[in-house]
Amino acid sequence: MRITCPLCGARDHREFTYKGAALPVPALDSGVAEWDAHVHLRENPAGPHEELWQHAMGCGAWLKVRRNTVSHEILAVELAQDAGLVIKEDRS
Amino acid sequence: MGFSGKFSGWRVLKEGLTGNKGWTAHWRDPEPKREYDVVIVGGGGHGLATAYYLAKEHGLRNIAVLEKGYIGGGNVGRNTTIVRANYYLPGNSEFYSHSLKLWEGMEQDLNYNAMMSQRGILNVFHNDGQRDAAVRRANSIINQGDDAEILYRDQLKKLVPFLNYDNNRFPIMGALLQRRAGTARHDAVAWGFARGADQYGVDLIQNCEVTGIDVEGGKVTGVQTARGPIKAKKVALAAAGRSGQVAAMAGLTLPIESHVLQAFVSEGLKPVIDHVITFAAGHLYISQSDKGGLVFGGNLDFYSSYAARGNLPTQEHVMEAITAMVPAVTKARLLRSWGGIMDMTPDGSPIIDTTPIDGLYLNAGWCYGGFKATPASGDCFAHLIATGRPHEAATRFKLDRFRSGYGLMDEEGTGAQHNLH
């Protein structure tokens, strides 16, 4: 697979780290059910899947990637911040 | 039961002398009935074993196993065939211990040669930290009632002299050995359970994809299939890799993400590797099949996938690990590689549980370790379906453990998140 980073261009997927499904982050005061759904439960589709990747060995940007899980075809890439996904990096 | 067509040495001799004309199909190919007491979705190892133990241990007979493709065509025929009971955490520990005991009696029980080979598994370690972890794990395995030994460098060298002990980066200090672990022929395991279940009257329905699960008033009533609707008092899901999609037909969202795990086979070689050996500096496990091919694999590709094939970076990692650990075999040519679809749970451990829907049971989330679990998974799932209570060896495989955070079984200690196992 090659992912086209909006900042760096097309790069081998070795440069990227997969995080998981790109889900909107619940409000911090959300209940157990919402956090359980966000952290654990997955639609897990066979087909187009919206997911988060980080260009870890490149510019470091978080990307929202639309990728077909059956063919591995990359369908769309945008910066996660442009997609409205709040990403808080854990630096601990 | 008075099974006809029992296999024996005498029978092999007799058939050999009479032109091998007496062998028959190992199971029937029945038309689906309109209704069953239990319908099992998924005719892989776990589904077939579940049907077998439901019949054998709990006396049920009106059972169907619905298989989308053909018996032995899914993950049960695509894995690296390793059988072991070297888990650490409560929950996994007693379960895999139970499973290994069932493996040891399985061929006699099924009257089927599954080529169970207790050749031993060696988990090598490279540094003090890994040695300490291996000793701790060995003590845990002994406490669970199974065998474990620590071999240090000189002892290990006598057993497997061909490893690269003096690799500059990853010198081998020793290994954790479980002698009762080994391999079994994966297809034969599927065939043996299929034949065993069939002989108890279980209907094995192939080419029968389930397309819907019927639920009325919170209770399951049957399934829709490619071969028509089938009513059922109980529906048991054992559709590894596709568990999320099957459960979605009943309106359930599971804590599962499907990933691809690759496996590899080399050209056939003369006997060189007698054990299952795992490398701890990267991720590699390798054994040699009775045909002579080296069978090996490594880690997940680490992205969600239903492709049943992986990408080059993981393949390179696996080959590099072989080069570091067993340089003697690096001239062997790779024959083929493939990928299996894994149900990955957040903590890397499985689920055998009831669901919020009455009469719907779930067996899922086997991650990259379902093969060794096959007999115990069937035994424990059958117990749950028949009695409504978890089997004593599988009390912790709860569906709600991720929500509650209680009873997580994170063997790697990396955290209960999807991308960490």
Side-chain angles (χ1 to χ4, degrees):
Chain A
M1 287 190 295
R2 282 162 74 82
I3 297 174
T4 302
C5 172
L7 304 177
C8 309
R11 299 295 179 88
D12 189 277
H13 99 80
R14 287 172 182 81
E15 293 188 15
F16 299 85
T17 305
Y18 173 76
K19 170 72 175 172
L23 305 170
V25 180
L28 289 177
D29 58 355
S30 299
V32 169
E34 281 150 304
W35 278 108
D36 177 42
H38 177 72
V39 178
H40 303 127
L41 304 183
R42 294 293 178 263
E43 295 294 329
N44 196 21
H49 184 221
E50 296 197 336
E51 50 201 25
L52 284 171
W53 291 73
Q54 187 184 23
H55 195 186
M57 286 191 271
C59 62
W62 282 95
L63 309 175
K64 181 182 168 186
V65 177
R66 189 172 163 80
R67 187 180 59 94
N68 188 322
T69 59
V70 176
S71 66
H72 295 165
E73 183 188 2
I74 308 288
L75 303 168
V77 186
E78 63 179 319
L79 291 174
Q81 62 188 34
D82 295 345
L85 293 163
V86 180
I87 308 298
K88 288 176 182 165
E89 273 199 74
D90 182 1
R91 295 188 180 280
S92 61
Chain B
M1 289 295 295
F3 291 156
S4 61
K6 211 167 157 60
F7 293 127
S8 65
W10 164 247
R11 177 116 190 265
V12 170
L13 188 66
K14 181 179 161 228
E15 294 294 341
L17 294 172
T18 54
N20 284 308
K21 287 177 184 147
W23 303 115
T24 55
H26 287 194
W27 54 83
R28 298 166 293 128
D29 184 21
E31 285 298 313
K33 290 192 275 188
R34 288 187 175 184
E35 184 167 4
Y36 291 94
D37 291 340
V38 181
V39 160
I40 296 166
V41 180
H46 291 216
L48 295 167
T50 302
Y52 174 76
Y53 288 110
L54 271 174
K56 178 178 176 244
E57 302 292 341
H58 304 282
L60 279 76
R61 291 293 182 274
N62 191 22
I63 304 168
V65 177
L66 308 184
E67 166 54 38
K68 178 173 73 170
Y70 60 95
I71 298 296
N75 282 349
V76 72
R78 297 172 71 82
N79 57 76
T80 46
T81 79
I82 299 167
V83 172
R84 57 186 169 88
N86 55 0
Y87 280 70
Y88 178 67
L89 293 176
N92 284 331
S93 174
E94 65 265 25
F95 175 80
Y96 289 103
S97 178
H98 179 57
S99 198
L100 185 54
K101 292 184 189 99
L102 289 176
W103 277 109
E104 288 174 325
M106 194 179 80
E107 291 173 308
Q108 295 301 318
D109 188 27
L110 294 175
N111 174 232
Y112 208 87
N113 180 10
M115 295 165 72
M116 176 71 181
S117 164
Q118 293 181 287
R119 56 186 67 185
I121 187 167
L122 288 160
N123 307 115
V124 306
F125 48 81
H126 308 276
N127 53 46
D128 292 353
Q130 288 182 349
R131 177 202 57 205
D132 293 351
V135 170
R136 195 167 65 139
R137 182 173 291 268
N139 286 334
S140 167
I141 295 166
I142 290 165
N143 282 338
Q144 90 195 2
D146 295 312
D147 69 298
E149 294 165 52
I150 296 291
L151 302 183
Y152 289 102
R153 189 183 164 99
D154 291 344
Q155 298 163 292
L156 187 60
K157 264 188 171 174
K158 281 184 192 155
L159 202 63
V160 281
F162 51 83
L163 299 183
N164 185 1
Y165 288 85
D166 299 314
N167 182 298
N168 285 338
R169 287 179 71 193
F170 313 120
I172 293 171
M173 284 181 74
L176 167 60
L177 168 63
Q178 182 170 54
R179 291 186 193 271
R180 284 167 61 227
T183 61
R185 183 175 176 200
H186 47 14
D187 313 291
V189 173
W191 300 334
F193 276 118
R195 173 172 166 270
D198 178 83
Q199 286 175 330
Y200 280 115
V202 173
D203 283 354
L204 309 178
I205 320 267
Q206 303 179 72
N207 299 310
C208 187
E209 181 171 0
V210 170
T211 54
I213 296 173
D214 301 330
V215 180
E216 286 173 24
K219 185 175 184 347
V220 75
T221 58
V223 293
Q224 302 291 322
T225 80
R227 295 174 69 171
I230 299 173
K231 287 185 178 173
K233 295 186 181 73
K234 295 177 179 178
V235 173
L237 308 181
R242 296 276 177 176
S243 294
Q245 296 185 313
V246 175
M249 293 175 195
L252 300 176
T253 307
L254 299 182
I256 286 175
E257 190 172 87
S258 295
H259 281 245
V260 59
L261 179 68
Q262 300 193 64
F264 310 86
V265 174
S266 79
E267 61 187 331
L269 305 172
K270 288 193 173 179
V272 51
I273 295 183
D274 295 335
H275 307 83
V276 180
I277 308 178
T278 75
F279 185 56
H283 197 25
L284 166 72
Y285 43 91
I286 186 165
S287 63
Q288 189 167 17
S289 79
D290 292 4
K291 272 197 299 191
L294 302 174
V295 182
F296 51 100
N299 226 329
L300 296 173
D301 273 33
F302 281 112
Y303 49 80
S304 66
S305 176
Y306 286 92
R309 60 180 171 75
N311 270 293
L312 195 58
T314 301
Q315 299 178 4
E316 286 178 344
H317 175 97
V318 169
M319 305 308 159
E320 285 163 6
I322 290 185
T323 308
M325 185 173 81
V326 209
V329 301
T330 51
K331 286 192 177 125
R333 283 167 294 191
L334 187 65
L335 196 63
R336 57 197 167 93
S337 71
W338 66 96
I341 307 169
M342 310 285 121
D343 277 4
M344 295 305 300
T345 60
D347 66 354
S349 291
I351 297 161
I352 301 179
D353 204 355
T354 54
T355 69
I357 295 165
D358 195 17
L360 184 68
Y361 301 83
L362 179 66
N363 179 325
W366 291 95
C367 300
Y368 23 62
F371 180 69
K372 75 181 89 67
T374 303
S377 170
D379 188 26
C380 295
F381 199 33
H383 188 277
L384 178 72
I385 295 162
T387 69
R389 298 186 309 278
H391 189 284
E392 62 179 10
T395 57
R396 296 189 183 226
F397 293 165
K398 293 291 187 190
L399 177 58
D400 71 351
R401 67 180 184 268
F402 306 103
R403 180 180 56 77
S404 68
Y406 173 75
L408 295 170
M409 288 160 289
D410 173 10
E411 290 275 339
E412 295 157 344
T414 49
Q417 276 190 38
H418 276 292
N419 59 332
L420 300 179
H421 293 275

